[in-house]
Amino acid sequence: MPFIPHTETDVREMLAAIGVDRTEDLFDEIPARLRAGELEGVPPALSEMETLRLMRERAAQDGALLNFIGAGAYEHHIPAAVWEIATRGEFYSAYTPYQAEASQGTLQLIYEYQSMMTGLTGMEVSNASLYDGASALAEAVLMAVRLNRRAKTRRVLVPRSLNPAWRATAHNIVHNQGIELVDLPYDAATGRVDPAVLADYEEEGAVTALVVPQPNFFGVLEEVDTLSDWAARHGVILIAAVNPLTLALLKPPGEWGETGVDIVVGDGQPLGAPLSFGGPYYGFMCARKQHVRQMPGRIVGRAIDADGKPGFVLTLQAREQHIRRSKATSNICTNQGLVVTASTIHMAILGPEGLARVASASYANTHTLIERAATFGVRPAFTGDCFHEVALRLPRRAGAVLEAMAADGILGGYDLGRISPELDDAILVCATETKTSDDLELYIESLRRALAA
Amino acid sequence: MSQQTADLKFTQSHEWVRDNGDGTCTLGITEHAQELLGDLVFVEAPEAGRRVAAGDACAVVESVKAASDVYAPLAGEILSGNEALADSPELINQEPYGDGWIFKFRPDSMEALGELMDAAAYDAFVEAEG
């Protein structure tokens, strides 16, 4: 029985009412070449069991590729306990439960998450999370415009060494609000922003904010202290866009330069979220306390009730979309509850020492790759120090080399020619703590063979 | 009409304005407004030197319930915000017509001030608004 409520008679009556003979006549306006017609190559229906078997066979064809691609999303080991706990019935919900009386556990978890993020970033406040790193950056740009009343323009300097997907997303979100994202070049030799280029923007109020990635999209470490001090000297809001895992070893943005930065954003994916075809991830945002009233999203606070008992409450949501409508500080009306839950458990299980070990191992593995590749003449494309990801310059176009490596079962890196034609002989390679020394050897051998072919 | 409000003018958006007699005015929100908002937790006063047009949103009062705009009743220039509110926003709940003032400004012309409601008219307006 078809799940269509109207009968043949209904259809005839409706067609007659508008003066056509057949349902097909309703589509006359659409040229025949645009009609999809019958689907070809779709086999007859299978039973559930047959479908399952077919899917397993097809999935096996993908094989288990050895992944050396980072480029904004990183493969890290996630202890089995993390998602085992996060997907318990008490936590597992498509929506974050907020009713304080019903969800003290969720609120406490978010409070713990905020505490961990302020610890990692060296900032005073953290919100309860945003959708992903790219949208967190866009929200930080909007926040900077609200904060910087001295600026005569709504221009934000965004280095070309920042993740291109983040740049595109931020542009999409802010450009219709009259905010201009100005490209800041990176130095072709070092792969990082040369602070000298900022001299063009020193006029009072010339720019609202400066974004500083750390490490940047090429894995290179920016001169964050110099950039942060420049921003502080010229009344420019500094937005740090960081990989949170690297903060286990690197100086936190709250301590950059003499004053620290204003806003820190990033993607929380490296802290317990699997790669999973690009999501769901979560964005984090931390800031100075003095900026908290302009911060989007919400914050969970610890309070004491009339009887002196501690409890957790949502604070600072009075400026949100569901209360303030068109005058809201942001259109963010929830946070990325489930992924944040997993991430908080992940950080709690690893602890500061565990996170530092993961960061150290990732750093060491990537640098081992760099050394071994140098033995046959493959060197980093940039001279700037890199963390756990590196752009390698190949003696030929990257695309064919990566294809040859894929035939060996190795995802050899991200083809940088995809973002810039002058980098079409460079690949972005990342070796996290998940790679063993055998894996690194397989990579080096495969790369050597691909280049010799 | 209380002694506190006898010399004040009122807007339909629940601000009060005092003519300081020296070409400047002081502005705050009314007793009725603070009562509706409840405990205030933050006040964002406007920046000194800013030009405003009549009807511009130029300050924000945030209570535990909501964040609400405060509007400029007349065109003019902001002279100063009440710095005491940064640490003690509750002054607005305690003394809305006194220490709880929000900002001082210099109107381009005082004439339009006469078009605002006096205390009796405002009381009637609040009554009618229900």
Side-chain angles (χ1 to χ4, degrees), chain A residues 20-38:
Chain A
V20 293
D21 296 329
R22 304 173 309 144
T23 309
E24 194 59 23
D25 294 342
L26 298 173
F27 298 95
D28 277 352
E29 289 292 312
I30 302 170
R33 64 187 168 81
L34 296 180
R35 299 284 301 273
E38 291 296 314

PDB file of all heavy atoms in Angstrom, chain A residues 20-38:
ATOM      1  N   VAL A  20      -6.049  20.335 -16.169  1.00  0.00           N
ATOM      2  CA  VAL A  20      -5.109  19.484 -16.903  1.00  0.00           C
ATOM      3  C   VAL A  20      -5.569  18.031 -16.821  1.00  0.00           C
ATOM      4  O   VAL A  20      -6.351  17.664 -15.942  1.00  0.00           O
ATOM      5  CB  VAL A  20      -3.651  19.593 -16.367  1.00  0.00           C
ATOM      6  CG1 VAL A  20      -3.092  20.975 -16.639  1.00  0.00           C
ATOM      7  CG2 VAL A  20      -3.585  19.253 -14.898  1.00  0.00           C
ATOM      8  N   ASP A  21      -5.052  17.212 -17.768  1.00  0.00           N
ATOM      9  CA  ASP A  21      -5.521  15.828 -17.842  1.00  0.00           C
ATOM     10  C   ASP A  21      -4.726  14.868 -16.976  1.00  0.00           C
ATOM     11  O   ASP A  21      -5.272  13.972 -16.352  1.00  0.00           O
ATOM     12  CB  ASP A  21      -5.445  15.330 -19.294  1.00  0.00           C
ATOM     13  CG  ASP A  21      -6.386  16.115 -20.194  1.00  0.00           C
ATOM     14  OD1 ASP A  21      -7.443  16.555 -19.669  1.00  0.00           O
ATOM     15  OD2 ASP A  21      -6.057  16.302 -21.381  1.00  0.00           O
ATOM     16  N   ARG A  22      -3.378  15.048 -16.989  1.00  0.00           N
ATOM     17  CA  ARG A  22      -2.535  14.067 -16.305  1.00  0.00           C
ATOM     18  C   ARG A  22      -1.578  14.772 -15.344  1.00  0.00           C
ATOM     19  O   ARG A  22      -1.200  15.927 -15.569  1.00  0.00           O
ATOM     20  CB  ARG A  22      -1.690  13.292 -17.312  1.00  0.00           C
ATOM     21  CG  ARG A  22      -2.504  12.584 -18.401  1.00  0.00           C
ATOM     22  CD  ARG A  22      -1.561  11.998 -19.443  1.00  0.00           C
ATOM     23  NE  ARG A  22      -0.610  12.993 -19.921  1.00  0.00           N
ATOM     24  CZ  ARG A  22       0.647  12.738 -20.240  1.00  0.00           C
ATOM     25  NH1 ARG A  22       1.127  11.506 -20.112  1.00  0.00           N
ATOM     26  NH2 ARG A  22       1.448  13.698 -20.673  1.00  0.00           N
ATOM     27  N   THR A  23      -1.146  14.077 -14.323  1.00  0.00           N
ATOM     28  CA  THR A  23      -0.178  14.640 -13.380  1.00  0.00           C
ATOM     29  C   THR A  23       1.076  15.079 -14.133  1.00  0.00           C
ATOM     30  O   THR A  23       1.663  16.109 -13.850  1.00  0.00           O
ATOM     31  CB  THR A  23       0.228  13.590 -12.317  1.00  0.00           C
ATOM     32  OG1 THR A  23      -0.964  13.035 -11.768  1.00  0.00           O
ATOM     33  CG2 THR A  23       1.056  14.222 -11.209  1.00  0.00           C
ATOM     34  N   GLU A  24       1.449  14.265 -15.109  1.00  0.00           N
ATOM     35  CA  GLU A  24       2.650  14.550 -15.898  1.00  0.00           C
ATOM     36  C   GLU A  24       2.592  15.952 -16.538  1.00  0.00           C
ATOM     37  O   GLU A  24       3.609  16.624 -16.678  1.00  0.00           O
ATOM     38  CB  GLU A  24       2.804  13.458 -16.969  1.00  0.00           C
ATOM     39  CG  GLU A  24       4.136  13.411 -17.658  1.00  0.00           C
ATOM     40  CD  GLU A  24       5.294  13.177 -16.697  1.00  0.00           C
ATOM     41  OE1 GLU A  24       5.061  12.624 -15.586  1.00  0.00           O
ATOM     42  OE2 GLU A  24       6.410  13.539 -17.061  1.00  0.00           O
ATOM     43  N   ASP A  25       1.360  16.394 -16.880  1.00  0.00           N
ATOM     44  CA  ASP A  25       1.215  17.708 -17.523  1.00  0.00           C
ATOM     45  C   ASP A  25       1.696  18.844 -16.623  1.00  0.00           C
ATOM     46  O   ASP A  25       2.063  19.917 -17.073  1.00  0.00           O
ATOM     47  CB  ASP A  25      -0.256  17.966 -17.893  1.00  0.00           C
ATOM     48  CG  ASP A  25      -0.730  16.993 -18.970  1.00  0.00           C
ATOM     49  OD1 ASP A  25       0.144  16.387 -19.639  1.00  0.00           O
ATOM     50  OD2 ASP A  25      -1.954  16.837 -19.121  1.00  0.00           O
ATOM     51  N   LEU A  26       1.713  18.585 -15.308  1.00  0.00           N
ATOM     52  CA  LEU A  26       2.143  19.621 -14.357  1.00  0.00           C
ATOM     53  C   LEU A  26       3.625  19.951 -14.525  1.00  0.00           C
ATOM     54  O   LEU A  26       4.096  20.991 -14.098  1.00  0.00           O
ATOM     55  CB  LEU A  26       1.888  19.171 -12.908  1.00  0.00           C
ATOM     56  CG  LEU A  26       0.437  18.904 -12.522  1.00  0.00           C
ATOM     57  CD1 LEU A  26       0.364  18.308 -11.129  1.00  0.00           C
ATOM     58  CD2 LEU A  26      -0.372  20.198 -12.590  1.00  0.00           C
ATOM     59  N   PHE A  27       4.357  19.050 -15.162  1.00  0.00           N
ATOM     60  CA  PHE A  27       5.806  19.230 -15.291  1.00  0.00           C
ATOM     61  C   PHE A  27       6.215  19.755 -16.670  1.00  0.00           C
ATOM     62  O   PHE A  27       7.383  19.795 -17.000  1.00  0.00           O
ATOM     63  CB  PHE A  27       6.528  17.912 -14.985  1.00  0.00           C
ATOM     64  CG  PHE A  27       6.291  17.430 -13.581  1.00  0.00           C
ATOM     65  CD1 PHE A  27       5.300  16.514 -13.277  1.00  0.00           C
ATOM     66  CD2 PHE A  27       7.083  17.921 -12.539  1.00  0.00           C
ATOM     67  CE1 PHE A  27       5.076  16.097 -11.983  1.00  0.00           C
ATOM     68  CE2 PHE A  27       6.861  17.500 -11.235  1.00  0.00           C
ATOM     69  CZ  PHE A  27       5.856  16.587 -10.954  1.00  0.00           C
ATOM     70  N   ASP A  28       5.217  20.153 -17.479  1.00  0.00           N
ATOM     71  CA  ASP A  28       5.486  20.621 -18.842  1.00  0.00           C
ATOM     72  C   ASP A  28       6.501  21.760 -18.876  1.00  0.00           C
ATOM     73  O   ASP A  28       7.261  21.901 -19.817  1.00  0.00           O
ATOM     74  CB  ASP A  28       4.187  21.088 -19.513  1.00  0.00           C
ATOM     75  CG  ASP A  28       3.427  19.900 -20.091  1.00  0.00           C
ATOM     76  OD1 ASP A  28       4.012  18.795 -20.079  1.00  0.00           O
ATOM     77  OD2 ASP A  28       2.276  20.082 -20.529  1.00  0.00           O
ATOM     78  N   GLU A  29       6.467  22.610 -17.860  1.00  0.00           N
ATOM     79  CA  GLU A  29       7.339  23.788 -17.813  1.00  0.00           C
ATOM     80  C   GLU A  29       8.814  23.411 -17.781  1.00  0.00           C
ATOM     81  O   GLU A  29       9.675  24.185 -18.161  1.00  0.00           O
ATOM     82  CB  GLU A  29       7.042  24.610 -16.544  1.00  0.00           C
ATOM     83  CG  GLU A  29       5.719  25.329 -16.579  1.00  0.00           C
ATOM     84  CD  GLU A  29       5.707  26.438 -17.612  1.00  0.00           C
ATOM     85  OE1 GLU A  29       6.670  27.223 -17.629  1.00  0.00           O
ATOM     86  OE2 GLU A  29       4.749  26.501 -18.403  1.00  0.00           O
ATOM     87  N   ILE A  30       9.094  22.222 -17.262  1.00  0.00           N
ATOM     88  CA  ILE A  30      10.496  21.836 -17.074  1.00  0.00           C
ATOM     89  C   ILE A  30      11.009  21.141 -18.331  1.00  0.00           C
ATOM     90  O   ILE A  30      10.425  20.151 -18.772  1.00  0.00           O
ATOM     91  CB  ILE A  30      10.629  20.889 -15.865  1.00  0.00           C
ATOM     92  CG1 ILE A  30      10.081  21.584 -14.607  1.00  0.00           C
ATOM     93  CG2 ILE A  30      12.075  20.457 -15.667  1.00  0.00           C
ATOM     94  CD1 ILE A  30       9.940  20.666 -13.403  1.00  0.00           C
ATOM     95  N   PRO A  31      12.093  21.684 -18.951  1.00  0.00           N
ATOM     96  CA  PRO A  31      12.617  21.054 -20.172  1.00  0.00           C
ATOM     97  C   PRO A  31      12.969  19.593 -19.927  1.00  0.00           C
ATOM     98  O   PRO A  31      13.482  19.242 -18.846  1.00  0.00           O
ATOM     99  CB  PRO A  31      13.887  21.871 -20.470  1.00  0.00           C
ATOM    100  CG  PRO A  31      13.718  23.156 -19.726  1.00  0.00           C
ATOM    101  CD  PRO A  31      12.871  22.849 -18.540  1.00  0.00           C
ATOM    102  N   ALA A  32      12.719  18.753 -20.911  1.00  0.00           N
ATOM    103  CA  ALA A  32      12.907  17.310 -20.753  1.00  0.00           C
ATOM    104  C   ALA A  32      14.340  16.956 -20.364  1.00  0.00           C
ATOM    105  O   ALA A  32      14.576  16.033 -19.581  1.00  0.00           O
ATOM    106  CB  ALA A  32      12.527  16.597 -22.049  1.00  0.00           C
ATOM    107  N   ARG A  33      15.319  17.749 -20.878  1.00  0.00           N
ATOM    108  CA  ARG A  33      16.708  17.375 -20.594  1.00  0.00           C
ATOM    109  C   ARG A  33      17.079  17.592 -19.121  1.00  0.00           C
ATOM    110  O   ARG A  33      18.077  17.091 -18.642  1.00  0.00           O
ATOM    111  CB  ARG A  33      17.670  18.144 -21.505  1.00  0.00           C
ATOM    112  CG  ARG A  33      17.653  19.627 -21.277  1.00  0.00           C
ATOM    113  CD  ARG A  33      18.486  20.381 -22.309  1.00  0.00           C
ATOM    114  NE  ARG A  33      18.215  21.798 -22.216  1.00  0.00           N
ATOM    115  CZ  ARG A  33      18.777  22.590 -21.306  1.00  0.00           C
ATOM    116  NH1 ARG A  33      19.646  22.096 -20.460  1.00  0.00           N
ATOM    117  NH2 ARG A  33      18.453  23.866 -21.251  1.00  0.00           N
ATOM    118  N   LEU A  34      16.245  18.375 -18.407  1.00  0.00           N
ATOM    119  CA  LEU A  34      16.525  18.591 -16.978  1.00  0.00           C
ATOM    120  C   LEU A  34      15.856  17.543 -16.096  1.00  0.00           C
ATOM    121  O   LEU A  34      16.120  17.459 -14.903  1.00  0.00           O
ATOM    122  CB  LEU A  34      16.062  19.988 -16.541  1.00  0.00           C
ATOM    123  CG  LEU A  34      16.787  21.166 -17.192  1.00  0.00           C
ATOM    124  CD1 LEU A  34      16.224  22.485 -16.649  1.00  0.00           C
ATOM    125  CD2 LEU A  34      18.287  21.104 -16.933  1.00  0.00           C
ATOM    126  N   ARG A  35      14.976  16.738 -16.700  1.00  0.00           N
ATOM    127  CA  ARG A  35      14.272  15.733 -15.898  1.00  0.00           C
ATOM    128  C   ARG A  35      15.193  14.547 -15.650  1.00  0.00           C
ATOM    129  O   ARG A  35      15.924  14.103 -16.544  1.00  0.00           O
ATOM    130  CB  ARG A  35      13.016  15.251 -16.641  1.00  0.00           C
ATOM    131  CG  ARG A  35      11.997  16.341 -16.929  1.00  0.00           C
ATOM    132  CD  ARG A  35      11.204  16.724 -15.700  1.00  0.00           C
ATOM    133  NE  ARG A  35      10.484  15.583 -15.153  1.00  0.00           N
ATOM    134  CZ  ARG A  35       9.268  15.211 -15.562  1.00  0.00           C
ATOM    135  NH1 ARG A  35       8.650  15.869 -16.519  1.00  0.00           N
ATOM    136  NH2 ARG A  35       8.676  14.172 -15.017  1.00  0.00           N
ATOM    137  N   ALA A  36      15.172  14.040 -14.437  1.00  0.00           N
ATOM    138  CA  ALA A  36      16.077  12.943 -14.094  1.00  0.00           C
ATOM    139  C   ALA A  36      15.641  11.635 -14.754  1.00  0.00           C
ATOM    140  O   ALA A  36      16.458  10.819 -15.116  1.00  0.00           O
ATOM    141  CB  ALA A  36      16.126  12.769 -12.576  1.00  0.00           C
ATOM    142  N   GLY A  37      14.373  11.462 -14.943  1.00  0.00           N
ATOM    143  CA  GLY A  37      13.891  10.223 -15.545  1.00  0.00           C
ATOM    144  C   GLY A  37      14.109   9.036 -14.625  1.00  0.00           C
ATOM    145  O   GLY A  37      14.286   9.183 -13.415  1.00  0.00           O
ATOM    146  N   GLU A  38      14.141   7.878 -15.228  1.00  0.00           N
ATOM    147  CA  GLU A  38      14.351   6.668 -14.434  1.00  0.00           C
ATOM    148  C   GLU A  38      15.800   6.600 -13.970  1.00  0.00           C
ATOM    149  O   GLU A  38      16.707   6.997 -14.687  1.00  0.00           O
ATOM    150  CB  GLU A  38      14.042   5.425 -15.292  1.00  0.00           C
ATOM    151  CG  GLU A  38      12.579   5.262 -15.633  1.00  0.00           C
ATOM    152  CD  GLU A  38      11.719   5.029 -14.406  1.00  0.00           C
ATOM    153  OE1 GLU A  38      12.115   4.195 -13.560  1.00  0.00           O
ATOM    154  OE2 GLU A  38      10.670   5.701 -14.278  1.00  0.00           O
TER     155      GLU A  38
END
